[in-house]
Amino acid sequence: REIKLPDTLSKIGEKTFSSCISLSEARLSDLKELPSLLFEDCTSLEKVHISKKTESIDPTCFLFCPSLLDIEIEEGNPNYVYSDHCLMNPDKTELYHGCYLSKMSDGIKNIGAYSFYGQSLPSSLEIPKGVLSIQEEAFGQSLGLESLMLPKSIQTIEENAFEGCDELSLVSYPGTQKEFQKVQLGFGCFYDTDIDSVKCSDGNYVLSDDSLE
C-alpha cells in the first residue's frame, strides 16, 4: 500500500501514520517538518520520499520501522542526504537514521538519538573511527547485536544508548582502562545487556551500576 500526500499539505501531526502496518511506501509533500512518531510501528514501510523543502526530521519519526531500507531525498534539499543506507546531514558527520544495511563511514562524528532504535543489526558491529558520541537510545532495543567495537575517539555514550540489546555480550575498546575512564557514560547506557565490563587493551574496565541500571 502506498500513500501520496497532496502538494498543498505543508504540516502534519505526530503519529499520523502510527501502526499503519500495511503501508509500504510514502510520498511526502512539501512538509517542512516530519514530527515525532510519524511512522511509528509501520512495520511494512520500505521506502519514503522526502521533499527538498523538508527542514527537520524528528529522531523518533521512523521508530520501529524495521523494513525501511530506502529513503529518497529530493534533489536540492540542503539539510539531508541519504548514502549507504544512512540518513545524514550534507557533510555526512551526523547520522540520523540507519538500518542493518547501513555502512557507516569514518567521517561520522555523532550517531544520533534513536537512529538504530529497534532495528535488526549484524551480530558484530564496529563503530567507525572518529565517532565522538553515541546519543540517547541510538541502538536501544536493537536485535541481533552480540559484540561491539568502540573507537578510541569516543567521548560520550549517552543515556540508554544500548539499552535492551539483550544479546550484547562483548564490548571492546582499543585504548587502556585509564583512557576509557574518561568516556562519559550516560545513565543506563548498557542497561538490559549481557555485559558488566568493557574489554580494553590492558584488561577489563568494570562498568558502574549507573551504566547498567
Side-chain angles (χ1 to χ4, degrees), residues 15-130:
K15 290 192 172 185
T16 297
F17 303 109
S18 179
S19 299
C20 291
I21 58 175
S22 63
L23 180 63
S24 61
E25 187 169 352
R27 295 180 179 272
L28 304 179
S29 60
D30 291 343
L31 296 172
K32 288 187 177 182
E33 299 179 3
L34 302 187
S36 63
L37 305 172
L38 181 61
F39 293 101
E40 176 195 24
D41 283 325
C42 291
T43 53
S44 299
L45 183 64
E46 298 176 352
K47 187 171 185 177
V48 174
H49 303 260
I50 294 176
S51 165
K52 63 183 178 182
K53 294 185 179 181
T54 299
E55 298 175 356
S56 68
I57 301 174
D58 188 90
T60 64
C61 179
F62 304 112
L63 209 65
F64 287 118
C65 294
S67 302
L68 182 58
L69 303 178
D70 191 9
I71 298 176
E72 184 177 287
I73 309 293
E74 185 179 8
E75 186 176 353
N77 187 305
N79 304 298
Y80 297 99
V81 297
Y82 191 70
S83 176
D84 291 327
H85 297 280
C86 295
L87 179 65
M88 297 179 285
N89 64 338
D91 64 5
K92 300 182 180 181
T93 57
E94 307 277 339
L95 191 155
Y96 303 126
H97 179 78
C99 64
Y100 74 92
L101 292 178
S102 294
K103 296 179 180 178
M104 294 185 284
S105 65
D106 286 345
I108 295 171
K109 299 299 181 185
N110 300 302
I111 298 177
Y114 296 93
S115 50
F116 289 89
Y117 190 92
Q119 296 285 335
S120 294
L121 296 175
S123 60
S124 180
L125 179 65
E126 182 173 351
I127 303 298
K129 298 175 182 177

Side-chain angles (χ1 to χ4, degrees), residues 135-195:
Q135 297 178 1
E136 177 187 2
E137 297 278 10
F139 294 92
Q141 302 293 324
S142 295
L143 305 174
L145 181 61
E146 298 176 4
S147 66
L148 173 71
M149 171 62 80
L150 297 169
K152 202 170 183 180
S153 59
I154 193 72
Q155 296 177 0
T156 305
I157 302 175
E158 292 189 4
E159 181 177 341
N160 296 326
F162 292 92
E163 65 89 13
C165 295
D166 54 9
E167 299 174 66
L168 181 60
S169 59
L170 175 64
V171 176
S172 302
Y173 173 76
T176 64
Q177 295 180 68
K178 186 175 182 180
E179 288 172 322
F180 187 78
Q181 191 174 15
K182 298 177 182 178
V183 179
Q184 297 180 28
L185 300 178
F187 186 82
C189 60
F190 291 109
Y191 172 70
D192 198 20
T193 64
D194 196 28
I195 68 164

